[in-house]
């Protein structure tokens, strides 16, 4: 039987014992004021074979920068791992997307590695991003009972966009853009980090990632489903009822930020960039479980909290 993601990371903890690893409870390592993260994206898992190559390049950079954003870090440099399949046109457009993201967010590509894959193999791409953090680099493990849970960004758009593309690979619009070209919340992360007891990005689904923050912080949480920030495009496509909100809370690929802030601190007073979505969605509490509520009362937790990578059994 194959190992799931959680079990594999548990095994790695026996090796990754340096304090910089933060017990592998974070998506980034911290060495002094340097924040390091590595994310991979794979064809058929994180992007569709029909997705434009330029958007794949953008996404590879953006998902790594989202991890830096969760630590309040300023991007500095990146190293890229590239798999080649002999399609020069695809590769050229992919590099154009990488270049556009690097220029947009001010990160320098300084090296990496390439390998050639056999015909028919799915593309697997990786990036290591390096940033510089401030005096306080929040971990997932710092949350405290009574902390207010705040979300930077909206939920559900990328999952809805993926559904549209699965129905029609020519689909367009803001939901498709959210899936293909995520926007890392770097400015919001830098402003919140000095005040956050805990912070992480939301990439695998709010409820699954919240469960990880709660486990690291040894807290429970109460979440108000009605408070989840949904875009107009998402509501137009999926609605705003309980089912739609649960879908938004579990869909993944959002690259929002989830922050646990002291209850007496109001982040709405920060000078966030115009258009930034910042919403309180709940509270950390005593206990060991996540409790969902809406206007009708308590909501049963869905069986699947988000997306967890699992290898197929042989």
């Amino acid at each position: 039987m194959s190992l799931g993601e959680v079990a594999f990371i548990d095994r790695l903890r026996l090796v990754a014992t340096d304090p910089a690893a933060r017990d592998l409870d974070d998506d980034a390592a911290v060495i002094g004021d340097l924040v390091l993260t590595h994310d991979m994206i794979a064809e058929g898992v994180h992007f569709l074979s029909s997705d434009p190559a330029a958007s794949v390049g953008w996404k590879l950079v953006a998902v790594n920068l989202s991890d830096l954003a969760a630590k309040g870090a300023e991007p500095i440099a990146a190293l890229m791992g590239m798999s080649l399949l002999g399609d020069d046109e695809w590769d050229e457009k992919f590099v154009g997307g990488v270049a556009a993201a690097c220029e947009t967010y001010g990160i320098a590509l300084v090296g990496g590695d390439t390998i050639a894959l056999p015909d028919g193999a799915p593309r697997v791409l990786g990036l290591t991003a390096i940033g510089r953090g401030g005096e306080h680099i929040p971990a997932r493990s710092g949350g405290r009972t009574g902390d207010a849970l705040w979300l930077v960004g909206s939920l559900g758009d990328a999952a809805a966009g993926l559904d549209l593309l699965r129905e029609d690979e020519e689909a367009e619009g803001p939901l498709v853009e959210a899936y293909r070209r995520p926007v890392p919340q770097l400015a919001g992360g830098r402003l919140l980090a000095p005040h956050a007891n805990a912070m992480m990005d939301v990439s695998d689904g709010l409820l699954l990632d919240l469960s990880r923050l709660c486990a690291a912080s040894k807290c429970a949480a109460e979440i108000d489903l009605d408070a989840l920030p949904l875009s107009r495009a998402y509501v137009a496509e999926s609605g705003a009822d309980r089912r739609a909100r649960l879908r938004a809370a579990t869909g993944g690929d959002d690259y929002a930020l989830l922050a646990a802030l002291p209850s007496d601190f109001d982040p709405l007073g920060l000078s966030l960039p115009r258009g930034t979505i910042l919403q309180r969605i709940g509270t950390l509490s005593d206990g060991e479980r996540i409790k969902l509520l809406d206007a009708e009362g308590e909501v049963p937790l869905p069986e699947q909290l988000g997306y967890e990578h699992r290898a197929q059994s042989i």
Side-chain angles (χ1 to χ4, degrees):
M1 181 180 293
S2 63
L3 286 176
E5 183 180 17
V6 173
F8 183 72
I9 291 173
D10 283 342
R11 286 196 176 184
L12 282 181
R13 285 192 174 97
L14 301 176
V15 180
T17 57
D18 190 277
R22 290 188 162 190
D23 200 32
L24 300 185
D25 279 334
D26 265 318
D27 280 339
V30 178
I31 302 175
D33 66 347
L34 293 180
V35 179
L36 304 93
T37 186
H38 181 86
D39 260 2
M40 297 186 294
I41 62 174
E43 186 176 358
V45 179
H46 304 94
F47 65 94
L48 302 172
S49 58
S50 56
D51 283 341
S55 74
V56 178
W58 175 282
K59 189 169 191 176
L60 177 62
V61 177
V63 300
N64 279 276
L65 295 185
S66 184
D67 286 337
L68 294 186
K71 305 299 128 192
E74 185 79 29
I76 300 173
L79 301 102
M80 184 173 72
M82 175 73 178
S83 58
L84 302 173
L85 291 171
D87 187 338
D88 292 343
E89 181 180 359
W90 195 96
D91 294 343
E92 181 67 25
K93 291 179 179 178
F94 167 82
V95 170
V98 170
C102 287
E103 182 177 358
T104 298
Y105 297 110
I107 188 169
L109 183 64
V110 296
D113 191 23
T114 59
I115 59 170
L117 295 180
D119 291 343
R123 289 182 171 88
V124 179
L125 309 154
L127 193 92
T128 298
I130 303 166
R132 194 175 302 281
E135 292 185 6
H136 175 59
I137 301 174
R140 294 182 185 180
S141 57
R144 305 168 185 169
T145 297
D147 280 353
L149 291 169
W150 290 80
L151 198 75
V152 183
S154 59
L155 299 175
D157 288 10
L162 176 58
D163 287 343
L164 291 174
L165 287 168
R166 283 173 171 162
E167 295 172 5
D168 176 9
E169 64 181 38
E170 301 296 327
E172 297 179 342
L175 299 178
V176 170
E177 280 296 294
Y179 170 70
R180 286 179 169 167
R181 292 179 175 268
V183 176
Q185 302 288 339
L186 287 162
R190 284 194 296 269
L191 289 169
L192 287 178
H195 312 282
N197 290 327
M199 189 157 65
M200 66 181 298
D201 80 329
V202 176
S203 56
D204 293 331
L206 171 66
L207 296 185
L208 181 56
D209 286 326
L210 172 61
S211 72
R212 293 164 174 165
L213 187 148
C214 287
S217 295
K218 298 179 174 57
C219 291
E222 293 186 3
I223 297 295
D224 179 3
L225 271 183
D226 292 332
L228 299 188
L230 306 179
S231 72
R232 292 181 181 178
Y234 181 84
V235 173
E237 177 66 27
S238 303
D241 59 9
R242 177 183 285 186
R243 182 177 179 181
R245 290 181 176 277
L246 284 172
R247 172 64 174 141
T250 57
D253 247 7
D254 300 299
Y255 302 103
L257 295 182
L258 176 65
L261 302 175
S263 59
D264 59 354
F265 175 71
D266 184 2
L268 295 175
L270 298 173
S271 298
L272 292 163
R274 174 180 255 178
T276 300
I277 297 169
L278 179 61
Q279 178 69 41
R280 180 171 178 174
I281 62 168
T283 305
L284 289 181
S285 57
D286 287 323
E288 298 180 350
R289 73 183 188 98
I290 296 171
K291 184 177 182 180
L292 297 181
L293 302 166
D294 65 11
E296 299 178 14
E298 188 167 353
V299 181
L301 273 177
E303 183 175 340
Q304 185 170 335
L305 299 182
Y307 183 84
E308 183 181 347
H309 295 275
R310 294 182 182 275
Q312 292 182 350
S313 299
I314 298 176

